[in-house]
Amino acid sequence: MTEVSVAKQDVAATDELVVLKSVNKHFGALHVLQDIDLTIARGEVVVVIGPSGSGKSTLCRTINRLETIDSGTISIDGKPLPHEGRALARLRADVGMVFQSFNLFAHKTVLENVMLGQIKVRKADKKQAEEKARALLDRVGVGTQADKYPAQLSGGQQQRVAIARALAMGPKVMLFDEPTSALDPEMINEVLEVMQQLAREGMTMIVVTHEMGFARSAANRVVFMADGRIVEEAAPDQFFSNPRSDRAKDFLSKILHH
Amino acid sequence: MFDFLDKYDVLGAFWTTVQLTLLSAVGSLIWGTLLAAMRVGPVPLMRGFGTAYVNIVRNIPLTVIILFASLGLHDTLSITMGSDQVETANFRLAVLGLIVYTSAFVCEAIRAGINTVPVGQAEAARALGLNFTQVLFLVVLPQAFRAAVLPLANVLIALTKNTTVAAAIGVAEAALLMKKMVENEAQLLPISAVIAFGFCCLTLPTGLILGWVSKKVAVKR
Ligand SMILES: Nc1ncnc2c1ncn2[C@@H]1O[C@H](COP(=O)(O)OP(=O)(O)OP(=O)(O)O)[C@@H](O)[C@H]1O
Ligand SMILES: [Mg+2]
C-alpha cells in the first residue's frame, strides 16, 4: 500500500515541471507569444529553435518572469508563477538562467559571482558557499580562474562561470538563451560539453540554440517556433531529418546551408 | 605685503570651510544616493518625488536655500538644530542647506552612473532571486559609483566653492573672513590672492586624487 503511494508520488513528481497554458504576450502591437502551450517534464531537455524574432528569448524570459505575460498561466513544479515580491524572488532562485551575453557581475570576482546568490538568497554561510562555488567552478573547468574578474576571462570561460553561478542556487530547471551565439567558434564546444554533462546528470533544461549537434545528442524534444507560435514539436532526429511543417523545412534549409 | 595675515585666523576660517564641505559631502552623498534609488525604483510615488525634488531644488539659487534655512527655519520656525549658540546653529543650518542643494546634483551624477551599467547586470541579479534593494545595492550601485567618481568629484569641487554662500548667514568660513579683511585692510589684491590660493589648495587635490581613483576603480567590461 505504502509502496504504491510512494511510487505514485514519484510519478507525479517526475511528471510536469514547467507548464505553460495559453500564454499570450504583446510588445505594443506586436503579438510576440501567441497561445503558447508547452509542458516540460522533470529531467527533460527541450531545445527551442526558430527564426530571429520568433519569440524564443521572450518565451524563456517569461518562465522566470523577467517578462510579464498578458494572459494564460505558467507554473513551475505545480505552483503558478507569483506576480512579485518575495515569492517571485524565491521562484527565480529555483529557475537558473544563462544569458547569451553572460552577464557576470563585472565588479565581482568569479568566485564572488558564484557565491553571491547562495549567500544573499539562499542564506548559506560564507564558508559553505565558497566550498560549493569552488566545487562548481572545478566542475565547469574554470577552478583556476576563481580570483579573476570576468573581463579577464575568455567568452567561453565566462559562460561556464555563468552556468556555475546559476547551478549554485540548486535550480530545478535551467534556461539557456542562445548560450553559445556570442562565442568565438573555438569556444562553443567547451560550453556545449558542460551543458551536455548537465543534461546527462538529469537536469531539466530549456535551451534556445541553433546548435544542431547539441540538439541531436542531448535533447529529448525540439520545439520549433515561428511568429510567436509553436509550429512543431518533435524528437530531434525526426525534426531535423523529416520536418513536417513548411516553416520548419524552410528554416532548416536556410540554417543547413550555412 | 602679507603681514595682514598675522591679524586674522585664515587657517581657522579655512578649517570651517573644510568642515562645511566634508559634512555636507557625506550628507548629500547619502541623501543623493537615496534620491537616485527612488528615481530608478518601481514605486511611482517615490519616482515622482525624486524627480520633483531634483528638478525643483537644482533650479533654486543656493543663497535662497541657505537664507531660507536661516530666516525661515531658524528665526521664524525657531528650529535651532540642537544648539542655543547662534554660531553653531548657523553652521548646522548651512550644512543642512548645502545638503539639500548638493544632493540633487549627487543624485544626477549617480543616475548617470547607473545608466552606464548594462541592463543585463540587473537582469542576471534578478534571475538569481535577489530582490529590488539587493539588485540595486549589491550589483547596480557599486558599479554605478565607480563610473560616477569623476562627476561626483566635480560635484564635490562645486560644493567646496559653494560653502562660501554660508557667509550670507554669518558662518565664519573663508569668504566671510575675506569680507572682513577687505573692509579693514586696504589690500584687496593680496587678500583675494590668499583666499583664492586657499580654495585651490582644497579643490585641485580633490580633482587630481579622485581622477586617479576613478581610473583605479573603473569596472572593466
Ligand atoms: N523589450 C521589447 N520591447 C519591444 N519589442 C521587443 C522587446 N523584446 C523583444 N521584442 C520584439 O519581440 C520579438 C520577439 O523577440 P525575441 O527576442 O523573443 O525573439 P528571438 O526569437 O529570441 O529572436 P533572436 O533569434 O533574434 O534572439 C521581436 O520582434 C523583437 O523585436
Ligand atoms: Mg533571442
Side-chain angles (χ1 to χ4, degrees):
Chain A
M1 206 42 210
T2 37
E3 260 183 44
V4 172
S5 72
V6 165
K8 237 183 179 174
Q9 262 184 358
D10 238 3
V11 170
T14 51
D15 223 357
E16 304 175 339
L17 187 58
V18 180
V19 181
L20 289 86
K21 283 203 182 109
S22 349
V23 169
N24 280 283
K25 162 138 194 106
H26 296 78
F27 282 123
L30 184 69
H31 199 169
V32 268
L33 296 181
Q34 308 187 20
D35 280 317
I36 300 287
D37 286 302
L38 182 63
T39 302
I40 288 130
R42 199 181 298 272
E44 196 181 12
V45 176
V46 171
V47 160
V48 181
I49 198 167
S52 179
S54 54
K56 308 179 297 291
S57 297
T58 310
L59 177 73
C60 246
R61 293 161 57 86
T62 56
I63 294 173
N64 65 358
R65 218 181 155 78
L66 283 178
E67 299 283 358
T68 56
I69 57 176
D70 300 335
S71 66
T73 57
I74 300 177
S75 52
I76 310 277
D77 213 0
K79 290 188 282 280
L81 272 194
H83 285 249
E84 53 203 36
R86 222 174 267 176
L88 177 60
R90 217 175 10 248
L91 171 121
R92 283 192 177 134
D94 286 341
V95 179
M97 178 136 189
V98 175
F99 301 84
Q100 180 175 349
S101 48
F102 330 133
N103 295 346
L104 291 178
F105 305 131
H107 63 305
K108 292 192 175 291
T109 63
V110 161
L111 186 68
E112 289 166 345
N113 263 275
V114 185
M115 288 169 65
L116 184 73
Q118 297 186 64
I119 292 171
K120 299 295 174 181
V121 178
R122 296 296 193 204
K123 310 290 179 202
D125 74 49
K126 247 186 141 164
K127 199 160 158 281
Q128 281 175 323
E130 181 173 341
E131 267 171 33
K132 187 168 180 181
R134 288 195 188 278
L136 281 166
L137 288 170
D138 282 338
R139 186 166 141 200
V140 299
V142 288
T144 54
Q145 316 289 326
D147 297 320
K148 291 193 181 162
Y149 283 88
Q152 297 171 288
L153 269 55
S154 74
Q157 291 172 324
Q158 289 191 51
Q159 194 60 298
R160 284 182 282 153
V161 174
I163 294 173
R165 176 176 69 177
L167 288 175
M169 308 302 291
K172 293 176 179 167
V173 50
M174 291 274 287
L175 310 172
F176 295 81
D177 187 4
E178 303 207 31
T180 57
S181 33
L183 296 176
D184 293 337
E186 74 270 19
M187 295 171 188
I188 291 179
N189 275 333
E190 63 192 45
V191 172
L192 290 179
E193 268 161 31
V194 169
M195 291 168 59
Q196 237 139 11
Q197 190 194 337
L198 261 184
R200 274 196 302 272
E201 288 164 5
M203 175 60 76
T204 310
M205 295 162 65
I206 301 173
V207 185
V208 178
T209 184
H210 291 166
E211 294 293 334
M212 277 189 294
F214 175 82
R216 279 179 187 274
S217 63
N220 302 100
R221 185 157 44 123
V222 171
V223 169
F224 175 72
M225 281 184 79
D227 298 330
R229 289 182 188 280
I230 294 180
V231 177
E232 192 168 337
E233 286 184 65
D237 283 334
Q238 192 192 337
F239 177 79
F240 289 116
S241 51
N242 194 13
R244 278 167 287 144
S245 63
D246 291 340
R247 288 301 303 262
K249 281 178 196 156
D250 183 47
F251 174 74
L252 285 175
S253 75
K254 276 176 191 149
I255 63 167
L256 288 174
H257 284 128
H258 284 152
Chain B
M1 190 181 176
F2 287 102
D3 21 323
F4 64 87
L5 288 176
D6 298 338
K7 285 188 270 174
Y8 300 95
D9 186 8
V10 179
L11 282 182
F14 269 107
W15 175 233
T16 305
T17 298
V18 169
Q19 285 176 306
L20 278 174
T21 306
L22 290 182
L23 289 173
S24 310
V26 172
S28 43
L29 192 61
I30 294 171
W31 181 223
T33 304
L34 291 176
L35 284 170
M38 288 186 208
R39 289 200 73 174
V40 299
V43 186
L45 196 68
M46 287 187 172
R47 270 209 308 270
F49 172 80
T51 310
Y53 181 98
V54 168
N55 284 318
I56 292 169
V57 166
R58 70 174 171 187
N59 286 305
I60 302 177
L62 176 58
T63 316
V64 174
I65 293 175
I66 300 268
L67 282 178
F68 175 80
S70 173
L71 303 175
L73 294 185
H74 186 259
D75 299 356
T76 311
L77 298 175
S78 309
I79 292 171
T80 57
M81 303 291 287
S83 173
D84 298 337
Q85 278 188 295
V86 178
E87 285 97 57
T88 319
N90 278 344
F91 177 85
R92 291 180 186 174
L93 287 164
V95 169
L96 179 69
L98 285 165
I99 290 175
V100 165
Y101 180 77
T102 310
S103 54
F105 296 89
V106 168
C107 169
E108 290 309 275
I110 291 174
R111 223 160 55 95
I114 289 176
N115 286 336
T116 68
V117 183
V119 281
Q121 295 283 307
E123 280 189 348
R126 283 159 68 206
L128 282 181
L130 297 171
N131 62 34
F132 174 77
T133 337
Q134 291 174 319
V135 173
L136 192 63
F137 284 91
L138 297 174
V139 175
V140 178
L141 281 179
Q143 297 185 49
F145 272 116
R146 288 157 202 251
V149 173
L150 274 190
L152 285 174
N154 290 335
V155 173
L156 182 57
I157 289 169
L159 168 64
T160 310
K161 296 186 288 183
N162 285 342
T163 56
T164 53
V165 175
I169 59 171
V171 177
E173 46 67 72
L176 192 70
L177 181 73
M178 173 173 168
K179 187 162 171 273
K180 212 159 43 169
M181 291 196 294
V182 170
E183 278 164 5
N184 295 342
E185 317 288 332
Q187 305 214 51
L188 179 61
L189 230 53
I191 292 170
S192 306
V194 165
I195 300 296
F197 175 74
F199 273 99
C200 288
C201 286
L202 296 179
T203 52
L204 282 178
T206 306
L208 288 175
I209 292 170
L210 289 180
W212 175 80
V213 169
S214 160
K215 285 206 192 88
K216 188 95 183 149
V217 302
V219 180
K220 290 170 195 66
R221 300 196 187 281

